[in-house]
Amino acid sequence: MSENLAAADLLKRSMDAFLAKDMRAWADLCDENVVVEFPFAPEGSPSRLEGRDAIYEYLRGYPDLIDIHSITSLEIHSTDDPDTAIADWSVTGRVLANGNPYNMSYATFVTFKDGKVAKYREYWNPLAFLKALGGESF
């Protein structure tokens, strides 16, 4: 793995960019051909994105929609594959358009290639997501 960083360290770096609301920095941590999957995405939201530009376009407005205040829990697990790590994490924040609380837990599986995110798969509760958004779409 390049940069001499383990997958768990690289995943933590992506969490730091997310918490800083720096979606450009997050996207820049991705391989040009990254595949991002959200298997539980609610209807009307993409469940798969391909390419760094596509994920940036998807995420760039996120800080204007949801204000994440903190990552309240974070456990990052290494796997037998040195290029793959798993995160079990939760956030707290609020939806800017309606003031609703945004409290979400995620399970994220990330595979790195040459120090960049090559595959990112994230699971969350779509019912809690839709309730927090209160009719807004993402």
Side-chain angles (χ1 to χ4, degrees):
M1 177 166 286
S2 71
E3 299 184 38
N4 295 322
L5 291 176
D9 294 327
L10 292 167
L11 181 52
K12 175 66 170 86
R13 183 184 287 176
S14 77
M15 297 289 177
D16 292 342
F18 178 78
L19 186 57
K21 300 173 180 63
D22 190 343
M23 298 302 112
R24 171 48 66 198
W26 196 95
D28 287 345
L29 294 172
C30 293
D31 181 81
E32 182 179 335
N33 298 308
V34 65
V35 174
V36 176
E37 297 174 334
F38 306 115
F40 294 159
E43 187 174 326
S45 294
S47 61
R48 182 180 171 96
L49 298 161
E50 295 183 27
R52 183 185 308 137
D53 292 340
I55 191 61
Y56 175 69
E57 284 303 313
Y58 174 77
L59 287 177
R60 71 184 181 131
Y62 189 88
D64 297 326
L65 181 65
I66 299 173
D67 180 18
I68 299 299
H69 298 155
S70 66
I71 295 176
T72 55
S73 69
L74 174 61
E75 292 181 27
I76 297 178
H77 306 277
S78 298
T79 69
D80 290 342
D81 178 348
D83 293 326
T84 299
I86 301 167
D88 178 3
W89 57 298
S90 299
V91 300
T92 185
R94 70 182 176 90
V95 177
L96 294 172
N98 60 25
N100 285 348
Y102 185 81
N103 303 306
M104 187 65 67
S105 295
Y106 303 89
T108 305
F109 299 74
V110 184
T111 301
F112 295 89
K113 178 183 174 189
D114 299 325
K116 298 281 190 178
V117 175
K119 184 171 183 182
Y120 185 96
R121 188 177 26 172
E122 188 169 81
Y123 298 87
W124 75 93
N125 181 342
L127 298 176
F129 181 78
L130 291 172
K131 181 178 178 184
L133 291 182
E136 296 291 320
S137 62
F138 181 69

